[in-house]
């Protein structure tokens, strides 16, 4: 990844945002890498932008029971008319236009119910995983007021859950759905809105 200062020195753009997209990583005993979102605003009168966005058609796969990661998206002017762009292409931009790139996240490795609840709690504290996803994907219950792990409720919830473990030698390919794309658009918007 090229540092923002270098990009801004060499091109007529300003990096307006760079950060992780919460809840984007594939759940697993070892959580997948987070999706990274970057937003660039054009400062020149006009420019041509060529882009590509990998992992749109098939979600990044999880292994040994890990869940798939999230898809990549490119959105033109998300703070205005907001248009999801195709996976690859070229567009004309005008001064003030904003382009949002969300890279795909990584798939998880291993059963999410085997992830250390303390690590899930840290992920919640760090803003990488929401309290809701901690509960639904990892079976970890966290007090919404204090952020403290509720150990007994977590043990009870995990006992009632069973996850489907896929043969570790096989890669489960998951085709992207409209809901996957909508999730990434919504998650990226939530990052910027609050």
């Amino acid at each position: 990844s090229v540092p923002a200062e270098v990009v801004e020195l060499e091109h007529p753009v300003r990096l307006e945002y760079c950060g992780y997209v919460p809840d984007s990583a594939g759940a697993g005993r070892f959580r997948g890498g987070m999706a990274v979102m970057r937003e660039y605003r054009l400062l020149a009168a006009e420019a041509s932008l060529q882009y590509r966005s990998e992992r749109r058609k098939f979600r990044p796969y999880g292994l040994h029971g890990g869940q798939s990661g999230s898809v990549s998206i490119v959105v033109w002017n998300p703070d205005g008319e907001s248009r999801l762009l195709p996976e690859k292409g070229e567009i004309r931009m005008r001064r003030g236009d904003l382009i949002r790139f969300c890279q795909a996240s990584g798939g998880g490795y291993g059963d999410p119910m085997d992830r250390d609840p303390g690590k899930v709690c840290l992920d919640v504290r760090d803003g990488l995983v929401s309290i809701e996803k901690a509960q639904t994907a990892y079976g970890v219950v966290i007090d919404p007021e204090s952020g403290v792990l509720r150990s007994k409720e977590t043990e009870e919830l995990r006992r009632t859950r069973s996850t489907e473990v896929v043969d570790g030698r096989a890669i489960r390919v998951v085709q992207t759905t409209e809901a996957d794309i909508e999730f990434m658009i919504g998650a990226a918007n939530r990052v910027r809105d609050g």
Side-chain angles (χ1 to χ4, degrees), residues 34-107:
M34 304 298 295
V36 174
M37 180 172 87
R38 289 182 180 85
E39 291 181 340
Y40 297 95
R41 188 166 306 274
L42 182 65
L43 303 176
E46 65 178 356
S48 177
L49 173 69
Q50 292 181 344
Y51 66 90
R52 71 173 186 263
S53 171
E54 302 296 332
R55 287 290 181 188
R56 175 85 62 90
K57 188 179 273 187
F58 297 101
R59 293 170 56 190
Y61 51 83
L63 291 173
H64 298 280
Q67 295 178 2
S68 297
S70 57
V71 299
S72 65
I73 58 170
V74 180
V75 180
W76 180 71
N77 281 332
D79 54 353
E81 63 184 81
S82 190
R83 187 173 78 207
L84 178 67
L85 298 177
E87 296 153 78
K88 297 173 180 79
E90 181 176 347
I91 60 168
R92 295 294 300 165
M93 296 179 68
R94 300 201 188 294
R95 185 184 323 273
D97 283 348
L98 185 80
I99 192 83
R100 174 184 287 166
F101 296 97
C102 291
Q103 295 172 314
S105 69

Side-chain angles (χ1 to χ4, degrees), residues 74-153:
V74 180
V75 180
W76 180 71
N77 281 332
D79 54 353
E81 63 184 81
S82 190
R83 187 173 78 207
L84 178 67
L85 298 177
E87 296 153 78
K88 297 173 180 79
E90 181 176 347
I91 60 168
R92 295 294 300 165
M93 296 179 68
R94 300 201 188 294
R95 185 184 323 273
D97 283 348
L98 185 80
I99 192 83
R100 174 184 287 166
F101 296 97
C102 291
Q103 295 172 314
S105 69
Y109 181 89
D111 187 345
M113 296 298 150
D114 291 337
R115 185 160 174 81
D116 180 334
K119 289 184 178 181
V120 176
C121 202
L122 288 174
D123 286 344
V124 170
R125 185 200 68 194
D126 292 341
L128 303 177
V129 175
S130 66
I131 288 177
E132 296 78 21
K133 179 137 185 189
Q135 189 166 341
T136 59
Y138 295 98
V140 174
V141 181
I142 297 172
D143 183 273
E145 298 296 319
S146 66
V148 173
L149 174 67
R150 292 182 175 168
S151 298
K152 285 188 177 189
E153 288 102 326

